[in-house]
Amino acid sequence: MGQSPGPVCDPKQPSKAAVCMYLPLYVEPRDVAEATTLMDTFGPKVGIEAAERAIKSRIVGNHLHYCRWRQIERLIIVLSARTTLGTIH
């Protein structure tokens, strides 16, 4: 889908340093489908599941699937947000 617009920061954080998260850089339609399926299946623990799948891929040396699962993990955060992230046109 293109490049990320940069970090999304939470200005409501009580500390002076904002908590930032980078949006997914490259997602494909199958990644969105995978993320929504995982969200339906695992509920609130979906982020942990995606992270564990990434770790398993890294352990077996599959860097492509490791990167894909990390992107899906970030995508889940974006899809779970109750607010709009980024610019609305």
Side-chain angles (χ1 to χ4, degrees), residues 38 46-74:
L38 284 173
V46 66
I48 295 168
E49 178 65 24
E52 287 177 355
R53 290 181 185 204
I55 291 167
K56 288 177 185 175
S57 296
R58 184 178 62 190
I59 289 170
V60 299
N62 190 334
H63 66 281
L64 295 176
H65 280 195
Y66 169 77
C67 293
R68 179 174 174 261
W69 282 113
R70 284 296 182 208
Q71 292 289 13
I72 290 173
E73 186 179 355
R74 292 182 189 109

Side-chain angles (χ1 to χ4, degrees), residues 1-19:
M1 286 189 155
Q3 286 188 314
S4 164
V8 174
C9 299
D10 183 2
K12 296 178 185 175
Q13 280 296 93
S15 67
K16 290 183 181 180
V19 174

